[in-house]
Amino acid sequence: VPRQRTSPIKIVQMKEREEAHTGEIVHLLFNGNFNWFNKDPESFQFINETVLRYHATMGNIEHEMAIPTPAGCGNSYPEYFSDSIVRKSYRMMKTLQQTGSRFPNLVTKLQQLPKYMCVSVGSLPRILVLHGDTRSLSEYFGVDPGSL
């Protein structure tokens, strides 16, 4: 089993154990970028088929797979990232797009994922789940490293 495949399996197994233990339904929500290392076709298909059975939001990786732009992986890297890191991420994205092209039905489903989702959890107020920030799916849009 490729390493990439173990995470969704473990998450689903945890869900099933919790349901068996409590007798209550457990809902899963995958919050974008679940495709970043799915470069081999078997992992790509398995992870996406697994994730798409549950709730999911689109991350910049899924967006760039479904709707490619010149932005590479769509991360909008700040200037303090080296050019080599940015180039490597762009190469990884190209590989992922090539893998995804073998699964047009899955890529179409990824394209239809929402960019955010509001959920209710118990008595808590509604929770906004999004990848990136309210203006962009990029994880770095508007981030000042001095503020971290």
Side-chain angles (χ1 to χ4, degrees):
V1 175
R3 181 175 171 85
Q4 296 95 319
R5 289 179 58 181
T6 59
S7 181
I9 291 172
K10 287 181 181 180
I11 291 169
V12 171
Q13 288 172 341
M14 288 169 45
K15 169 197 176 332
E16 292 168 350
R17 278 195 305 272
E18 185 66 17
E19 287 176 337
H21 178 71
T22 65
E24 296 182 16
I25 295 172
V26 174
H27 298 276
L28 296 179
L29 190 155
F30 291 88
N31 184 23
N33 284 14
F34 41 87
N35 274 293
W36 190 225
F37 295 109
N38 300 347
K39 70 178 186 175
D40 70 89
E42 184 182 64
S43 293
F44 182 91
Q45 183 175 16
F46 179 84
I47 288 174
N48 282 291
E49 286 176 350
T50 299
V51 168
L52 291 169
R53 289 196 318 251
Y54 301 97
H55 301 285
T57 61
M58 177 188 292
N60 54 293
I61 301 305
E62 289 75 32
H63 185 271
E64 288 296 327
M65 283 181 46
I67 309 164
T69 69
C73 69
N75 238 356
S76 302
Y77 286 106
E79 292 179 15
Y80 56 87
F81 276 84
S82 71
D83 288 343
S84 66
I85 289 175
V86 175
R87 282 192 304 273
K88 181 177 181 182
S89 73
Y90 286 9
R91 285 191 309 272
M92 289 171 66
M93 190 69 236
K94 282 288 182 201
T95 300
L96 186 53
Q97 288 168 333
Q98 290 168 350
T99 301
S101 71
R102 297 175 63 176
F103 301 95
N105 292 340
L106 287 174
V107 172
T108 296
K109 289 177 183 179
L110 295 174
Q111 185 176 18
Q112 296 168 353
L113 289 174
K115 293 181 181 176
Y116 64 89
M117 191 176 293
C118 288
V119 297
S120 296
V121 179
S123 62
L124 296 172
R126 290 175 54 97
I127 299 169
L128 175 64
V129 178
L130 69 151
H131 184 88
D133 64 34
T134 57
R135 294 179 285 174
S136 170
L137 288 174
S138 168
E139 296 155 17
Y140 300 106
F141 186 77
V143 173
D144 174 8
S147 68
L148 300 177

